[in-house]
C-alpha cells in the first residue's frame, strides 16, 4: 500500500520509473529512502479522501444547478399553461408533495452591509444617551454598545443594529438616528438557497435532508 501511495505522491522517478524523490511541505525534494512508510500511508489516505470529496462536491454543484433548472421549468409551465405565478417576497418559494410529506424550499437571502450613515446614527445616539439621566440610559447604553461592537471581520452585528430600530424613544435625535440607520443599509448581494424536508406523516415535524457535510 505504501508503494501505491508512492506512485501517487509528488515525486521524481528514476530510470526504472521507481520513485526517487518526494516533494515535502516546504517544496524540497526528499530522497525516497528517507521518506517514512507512515508518511506515505498518510499521503495516500489524504489524496484518496480529497479525490472523493472533490467528486462529491462536483456532484452537489451539478445537483444544485439541476434543481434550479427544474424549478424554473415548473414555474414556466405554471405561467404558460395556467397563467399562474408562484413565489413569495424576493422569490422565496415552497413546493410540497401531494401527500404533504415532502417539501422543497427555495429561499433568496440578501447580504446586507452598512454605509457611512451608520456613524452619523452612532453620534446621534451617543448624544442622546449623554443628555439623558444615568438611571434612564443604563440599559440602552448596553444595547448600543453591543450593536456597534465590531467583530473580527470588522463588521457590526446586523441583528443588534436592527434591534435598536425596534426601541421606541420620544426624542427627535433618536428618530433621526433610526432614519440614518435605515439609510445606511446596503444590499451587497443576494444568494439563493435550496432546502429539502420530509416527515413521516402530515402531523409529524419536518426533518431536514442534510446536504451539509458538517451537519450530516
Amino acid at each position: 500500500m505504501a508503494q501505491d501511495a508512492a506512485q501517487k505522491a509528488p515525486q521524481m522517478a528514476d530510470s526504472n520509473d521507481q520513485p526517487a524523490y518526494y516533494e515535502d511541505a516546504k517544496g524540497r525534494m526528499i530522497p525516497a529512502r528517507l521518506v517514512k512508510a507512515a508518511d506515505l500511508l498518510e499521503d495516500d489516505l489524504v489524496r484518496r479522501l480529497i479525490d472523493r470529496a472533490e467528486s462529491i462536491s462536483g456532484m452537489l454543484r451539478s445537483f444544485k444547478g439541476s434543481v434550479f433548472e427544474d424549478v424554473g421549468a415548473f414555474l414556466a409551465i405554471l405561467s404558460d399553461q395556467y397563467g399562474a405565478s408562484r413565489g413569495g417576497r424576493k422569490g422565496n418559494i415552497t413546493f410540497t408533495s401531494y401527500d404533504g410529506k415532502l417539501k422543497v424550499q427555495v429561499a433568496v437571502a440578501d447580504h446586507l452591509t452598512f454605509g457611512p450613515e451608520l456613524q452619523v446614527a452612532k453620534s446621534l445616539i451617543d448624544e442622546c444617551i449623554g443628555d439623558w439621566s444615568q438611571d434612564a440610559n443604563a440599559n440602552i447604553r448596553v444595547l448600543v454598545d453591543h450593536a456597534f461592537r465590531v467583530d473580527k471581520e470588522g463588521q457590526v452585528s446586523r441583528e443588534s443594529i436592527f434591534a435598536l430600530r425596534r426601541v421606541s424613544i420620544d426624542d427627535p435625535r433618536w428618530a433621526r438616528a433610526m432614519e440614518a440607520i435605515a439609510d445606511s443599509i446596503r444590499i451587497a448581494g443576494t444568494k439563493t438557497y435550496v432546502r429539502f424536508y420530509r416527515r413521516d406523516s402530515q402531523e409529524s415535524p419536518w426533518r431536514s435532508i442534510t446536504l451539509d457535510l458538517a451537519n450530516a
Side-chain angles (χ1 to χ4, degrees):
M1 186 174 178
Q3 183 67 20
D4 292 340
Q7 299 300 326
K8 297 179 183 179
Q11 60 185 273
M12 295 177 60
D14 60 20
S15 57
N16 297 318
D17 277 339
Q18 296 299 314
Y21 296 88
Y22 297 94
E23 182 179 9
D24 71 2
K26 295 183 178 180
R28 301 172 301 190
M29 302 309 297
I30 306 300
R33 60 184 176 81
L34 300 180
V35 180
K36 297 178 181 178
D39 290 339
L40 294 182
L41 289 173
E42 181 179 351
D43 181 88
D44 178 62
L45 169 68
V46 171
R47 292 179 186 280
R48 285 188 291 107
L49 292 179
I50 290 296
D51 284 346
R52 290 162 60 187
E54 289 181 336
S55 175
I56 293 172
S57 177
M59 291 172 58
L60 286 175
R61 285 195 301 270
S62 177
F63 172 65
K64 182 178 180 180
S66 68
V67 167
F68 292 131
E69 288 177 2
D70 290 347
V71 167
F74 172 74
L75 293 177
I77 291 174
L78 284 184
S79 178
D80 293 343
Q81 294 188 5
Y82 305 103
S85 61
R86 177 180 290 193
R89 186 180 66 86
K90 293 185 178 297
N92 296 327
I93 316 171
T94 298
F95 304 98
T96 308
S97 62
Y98 191 69
D99 63 5
K101 297 180 182 179
L102 304 173
K103 180 170 65 174
V104 176
Q105 288 184 336
V106 179
V108 180
D110 290 332
H111 173 60
L112 302 181
T113 60
F114 296 97
E117 295 89 348
L118 191 65
Q119 293 304 315
V120 176
K122 178 65 164 56
S123 297
L124 288 169
I125 292 172
D126 286 341
E127 183 180 329
C128 289
I129 295 176
D131 289 348
W132 298 337
S133 67
Q134 184 63 36
D135 292 339
N137 71 36
N139 292 333
I140 295 297
R141 168 55 71 186
V142 172
L143 182 62
V144 170
D145 287 344
H146 181 70
F148 287 93
R149 184 181 303 142
V150 177
D151 63 19
K152 61 183 179 180
E153 282 81 30
Q155 303 295 322
V156 297
S157 168
R158 182 179 68 182
E159 290 74 16
S160 298
I161 292 294
F162 290 162
L164 286 178
R165 299 186 64 199
R166 293 192 290 270
V167 178
S168 179
I169 295 177
D170 187 16
D171 188 306
R173 294 169 300 181
W174 183 270
R176 292 201 305 273
M178 297 305 103
E179 291 177 3
I181 289 177
D183 292 341
S184 75
I185 298 172
R186 308 280 194 273
I187 298 178
T190 59
K191 189 170 185 179
T192 304
Y193 300 89
V194 59
R195 300 180 177 91
F196 306 89
Y197 302 87
R198 72 161 55 243
R199 58 185 177 182
D200 298 327
S201 70
Q202 290 81 356
E203 291 75 31
S204 300
W206 290 105
R207 302 193 313 272
S208 174
I209 300 174
T210 302
L211 299 178
D212 179 359
L213 184 62
N215 296 313

